[in-house]
Amino acid sequence: MKAKKIKKNDASKYIEQLKRHYAPLALNHGDSFRAVDWGSEIGQNLRFEVLLGCVDFRHLRILDVGCGVGHLAAYLKKQSFEGSYLGIDLVPEMIECAKLHNSDFTFQVVNSLKKVETFKPELVIASGLFTFADELLFKDTISQLFRLTCHALAFNSLSAWKEYQAQNEFHADPFDTFNFCAGLTNKIVFRHDYMPHDFSLYLYK
């Protein structure tokens, strides 16, 4: 079953919501994990480790969707990464901070995935991208990201299996998400073993 496409006006509201939330954090916290509203640097790096575990990533073209202030780029530097990297985000303040602290990586403010098709990513990473999404946007974006990648997509989400769920955050149902992704590809890895309130999926072409 294909997800309904999000209406254009709804997408605009979502973009404005992200800018209102993250722009002040980037200005106030710089390249700290607090700039992207994670609970800790340890938790953020664990998510990166899990997502990058989908392939041998060291020589690939990686597209980092919702790159924030460039934490994945900084993480890749420590992992002997020799491939190509492009980080994209909707929030200009995030991108400016990412460029400042990771001058040897490429970052762009992008509000349409069509603008990065020519990069031809072999691996698309989306970490923390869906915190303020809804189900339609969540599924539509997954479909777009999977079409964009040449080889693999790895993404995470807050889990609906979590006992406490903040009202302003999106928590996806892991089983429903898996079944939706099975409509895109039968080559899937599902992980819900690294954090009690978080899950990741790897989708392969």
Side-chain angles (χ1 to χ4, degrees):
M1 179 179 177
K2 293 184 178 180
K4 297 179 182 178
K5 288 195 176 293
I6 187 168
K7 295 179 181 179
K8 187 174 182 180
N9 60 335
D10 291 337
S12 298
K13 290 179 181 178
Y14 176 69
I15 291 171
E16 289 307 312
Q17 180 186 13
L18 290 181
K19 288 180 178 179
R20 286 196 304 270
H21 183 83
Y22 286 110
L25 292 176
L27 292 172
N28 292 332
H29 298 293
D31 67 340
S32 164
F33 65 89
R34 291 184 176 86
V36 289
D37 221 8
W38 282 126
S40 70
E41 185 177 357
I42 293 174
Q44 186 184 45
N45 286 337
L46 175 57
R47 289 179 173 92
F48 291 158
E49 179 184 346
V50 169
L51 291 175
L52 290 169
C54 63
V55 291
D56 183 354
F57 61 87
R58 290 170 294 175
H59 301 281
L60 298 183
R61 293 189 303 276
I62 295 178
L63 177 65
D64 181 9
V65 182
C67 65
V69 295
H71 290 142
L72 178 61
Y75 184 87
L76 287 169
K77 276 192 254 188
K78 299 176 182 178
Q79 309 301 318
S80 303
F81 178 66
E82 297 179 355
S84 299
Y85 169 95
L86 174 60
I88 62 174
D89 205 285
L90 295 166
V91 184
E93 290 83 356
M94 292 281 195
I95 292 297
E96 289 305 311
C97 184
K99 290 178 177 179
L100 179 64
H101 294 281
N102 303 276
S103 58
D104 47 343
F105 283 75
T106 303
F107 300 93
Q108 295 177 9
V109 178
V110 171
N111 57 15
S112 171
L113 291 173
K114 290 182 179 180
K115 295 181 179 180
V116 295
E117 288 179 347
T118 55
F119 182 64
K120 298 186 183 302
E122 295 164 296
L123 171 60
V124 174
I125 297 285
S127 182
L129 183 65
F130 302 111
T131 304
F132 300 112
D134 58 32
E135 187 173 352
L136 290 179
L137 178 59
F138 177 61
K139 291 179 177 178
D140 186 60
T141 303
I142 291 169
S143 297
Q144 290 185 58
L145 295 178
F146 188 62
R147 286 196 297 268
L148 190 61
T149 186
C150 298
H151 178 55
L153 162 65
F155 70 90
N156 56 28
S157 173
L158 294 173
S159 173
W161 294 349
K162 179 182 178 184
E163 290 186 14
Y164 170 74
Q165 300 178 20
Q167 291 185 350
N168 65 331
E169 295 179 344
F170 174 69
H171 293 73
D173 181 276
F175 285 152
D176 180 63
T177 304
F178 182 91
N179 288 334
F180 172 78
C181 292
L184 302 176
T185 178
N186 60 5
K187 298 177 181 179
I188 306 174
V189 174
F190 168 71
R191 291 197 58 178
H192 205 307
D193 60 319
Y194 57 97
M195 284 182 174
H197 53 275
D198 203 274
F199 70 95
S200 293
L201 281 167
Y202 311 152
L203 279 61
Y204 300 92
K205 289 290 179 72

